Amino acid sequence: MATQTTAAGARQTRRGERRVVSNIVRGSIGNLIEWYDWYAYTAFSVYFAAAFFPSGDQTAQLLNTAAVFAVGFLMRPIGGWVLGRYADRRGRRSALTLSVTLMAAGSLIVALTPSYEAIGVAAPLLLVTARLLQGLSVGGEYSTSATYMSEVASPGRRGYYSSFQYVTLIAGQLTALGLQIVLQQVLSGSQMEAWGWRVAFVVGAAGAIVVLWLRRGMDESESFERAAAEEGAQGDGHGPARGSLRMLLSYPRQCLVVVGLTMGGTLFFYTYTTYLQKFMVNTSGIAKPTAAWINFFALVVFVALQPVMGMLSDRVGRRPMLIAFGALGALVVVPSLTLLSRTSDPVYAFLLMVGPLAVSSLYTSISAVVKAELFPTSIRALGVGLPYALTVALFGGTAEYVALWFKNAGHESWYFYYVTACVLISLLVYIRMRETSDGSPLESEARD
């Protein structure tokens, strides 16, 4: 009898684990499409910059597209607030479905907008509108996806499962780069600039249809259902409403920790992912197709490191990983970017990109789960989303613009020290923060 009971328990455990994997996969594929759409903008901006803005030198046109990229980030706090509140009140699955719909709409607008020569100033205005929609979407996607994956993950494996958020985030960028490389092989440079870049945004909008179907089959997280049931059993209370800003203000320390741990990590990440391709073309003098290949292979290594680092965090804890990132990140920025600015050798450029990305994986693999572990279920999506999105808008979203502004002003190296200073500030937060992981199920109440 004991043997049968043990066998039945083992089968139930395996079924539960398979269900966890199924939910993670469904959520992750949707996350991939979302981030593909987001990164297609920066991957193809070297081709469509001239289509949306008046003729001028390359740096000026890239500066304009970077400004629109930054504008999209300004919507991310609003997305983190609106969709985070929606996820805390109506459920994670519903919020994830809504976010991918908004992203698809933005991609379709970019794909169909005529050039500046055809419709004048309406072209950049429509581009801004599309990026605002996408910023709203991705602001809610990050927080809700981080919350969902951490809540459905098995106890003791949250770091590993949650790392797949960045696996698919980076895979979305890889998909955009991969499509760019394919199009570069089959189309001429003039065809890419004339219409080839539009293919990427059509693909993104079409992929959302598949995601909508997949996300309809996801389970709602048990943590959310339990919190909603408890609230319903207690009836109307006099405390702050679930998912409200008033409730979020009850956790000021956690919000400040999110801001501090995100600042250096997000600026470092966007420097070595979205901006570095432009840096190679515009500063190092590397050809556009070669820069795309360098980025692609470096990001393949980067994505492979995410689950490895996630598993490591389940063993050693989140805080030591973050401290290691802060220390190594502060040391690597200036020498790597300085050396990269002086070389056009593809192999050397690849090594100068992949090294800092390996350092970044210490942060990216666990950043989502660390934030989720700071907040209780009733405010988790908003708690993860709003302070994170505000910080990313200020530092990650402006990374390209600030870097190009320094270059345009003749002081490009000042940007290297700016990134270093932000990483050092985050390092101080990592040193002072408490460990968040204890291997138990994600709790309904946050720690004091």
Side-chain angles (χ1 to χ4, degrees):
M1 181 65 70
T3 303
Q4 292 177 344
T5 302
T6 301
R11 286 195 297 270
Q12 185 174 0
T13 299
R14 287 195 296 271
R15 284 196 297 269
E17 192 70 16
R18 284 196 296 269
R19 196 64 193 172
V20 168
V21 172
S22 174
N23 287 321
I24 293 292
V25 168
R26 289 170 183 266
S28 296
I29 292 175
N31 201 44
L32 186 153
I33 293 296
E34 284 255 9
W35 290 102
Y36 163 84
D37 284 331
W38 182 253
Y39 283 118
Y41 179 95
T42 190
F44 285 87
S45 63
V46 292
Y47 290 106
F48 70 67
F52 286 99
F53 298 98
S55 59
D57 66 81
Q58 179 174 266
T59 298
Q61 288 179 336
L62 288 175
L63 195 60
N64 285 327
T65 58
V68 177
F69 185 73
V71 166
F73 273 84
L74 296 179
M75 287 298 289
R76 288 183 65 167
I78 299 176
W81 169 49
V82 173
L83 292 179
R85 176 187 174 96
Y86 185 77
D88 283 331
R89 293 192 171 194
R90 303 297 181 186
R92 320 311 192 196
R93 183 176 58 187
S94 297
L96 287 170
T97 301
L98 177 58
S99 71
V100 77
T101 304
L102 293 172
M103 181 63 76
S107 289
L108 199 58
I109 290 173
V110 178
L112 300 179
T113 297
S115 67
Y116 184 89
E117 289 185 357
I119 61 173
V121 72
L125 288 177
L126 284 170
L127 182 65
V128 170
T129 300
R131 288 306 283 179
L132 291 176
L133 281 175
Q134 292 186 324
L136 184 69
S137 166
V138 83
E141 171 70 21
Y142 179 90
S143 60
T144 310
S145 178
T147 297
Y148 182 78
M149 289 190 181
S150 62
E151 288 179 349
V152 301
S154 307
R157 303 194 72 191
R158 282 200 302 270
Y160 170 70
Y161 280 124
S162 295
S163 72
F164 282 91
Q165 180 172 31
Y166 261 89
V167 168
T168 50
L169 187 156
I170 302 159
Q173 186 172 2
L174 276 172
T175 305
L177 280 171
L179 180 59
Q180 182 185 45
I181 289 169
V182 170
L183 291 174
Q184 286 170 341
Q185 302 305 309
V186 300
L187 300 177
S188 66
S190 59
Q191 288 175 322
M192 284 290 292
E193 293 177 357
W195 58 268
W197 57 268
R198 295 183 187 273
V199 174
F201 297 96
V202 172
V203 168
I209 298 173
V210 178
V211 172
L212 287 172
W213 176 76
L214 286 173
R215 286 190 164 174
R216 287 179 61 189
M218 290 166 54
D219 294 327
E220 184 56 81
S221 83
E222 292 183 5
S223 295
F224 172 79
E225 291 181 332
R226 185 165 52 250
E230 290 174 356
E231 184 180 274
Q234 293 170 359
D236 294 334
H238 299 289
R242 179 157 45 99
S244 66
L245 286 176
R246 182 183 170 194
M247 176 175 280
L248 182 62
L249 293 176
S250 302
Y251 300 92
R253 182 186 64 80
Q254 288 88 339
C255 290
L256 291 174
V257 169
V258 171
V259 171
L261 71 87
T262 301
M263 180 172 64
T266 192
L267 180 58
F268 191 97
F269 171 78
Y270 279 100
T271 296
Y272 285 97
T273 54
T274 60
Y275 175 62
L276 214 64
Q277 185 177 2
K278 294 180 179 64
F279 184 86
M280 290 179 187
V281 171
N282 210 27
T283 297
S284 304
I286 298 173
K288 291 176 183 177
T290 303
W293 276 110
I294 293 169
N295 275 254
F296 183 84
F297 285 117
L299 289 173
V300 167
V301 176
F302 188 38
V303 76
L305 287 171
Q306 303 306 305
V308 176
M309 296 299 183
M311 285 191 291
L312 182 60
S313 78
D314 286 328
R315 291 179 174 270
V316 304
R318 323 294 188 214
R319 184 170 169 270
M321 302 275 289
L322 292 173
I323 292 174
F325 160 71
L328 294 173
L331 291 173
V332 78
V333 175
V334 174
S336 65
L337 292 179
T338 301
L339 291 171
L340 184 58
S341 69
R342 297 172 182 172
T343 185
S344 58
D345 180 78
V347 175
Y348 194 27
F350 168 78
L351 294 174
L352 289 170
M353 180 177 183
V354 81
L357 284 178
V359 172
S360 182
S361 67
L362 293 164
Y363 163 81
T364 56
S365 60
I366 60 171
S367 63
V369 70
V370 169
K371 300 178 187 81
E373 288 172 340
L374 289 169
F375 295 94
T377 304
S378 57
I379 196 65
R380 186 167 291 132
L382 183 60
V384 171
L386 185 55
Y388 166 80
L390 284 168
T391 311
V392 172
L394 289 173
F395 295 96
T398 60
E400 285 191 14
Y401 187 85
V402 172
L404 289 166
W405 186 87
F406 277 127
K407 180 177 177 60
N408 212 35
H411 301 289
E412 187 170 32
S413 63
W414 289 8
Y415 178 74
F416 311 165
Y417 293 96
Y418 163 66
V419 177
T420 301
C422 290
V423 173
L424 284 172
I425 293 172
S426 286
L427 176 58
L428 295 177
V429 176
Y430 305 148
I431 292 171
R432 293 180 60 85
M433 70 180 287
R434 302 171 186 174
E435 179 59 73
T436 62
S437 170
D438 62 4
S440 63
L442 209 56
E443 300 148 346
S444 180
E445 294 301 325
R447 300 174 183 85
D448 293 330

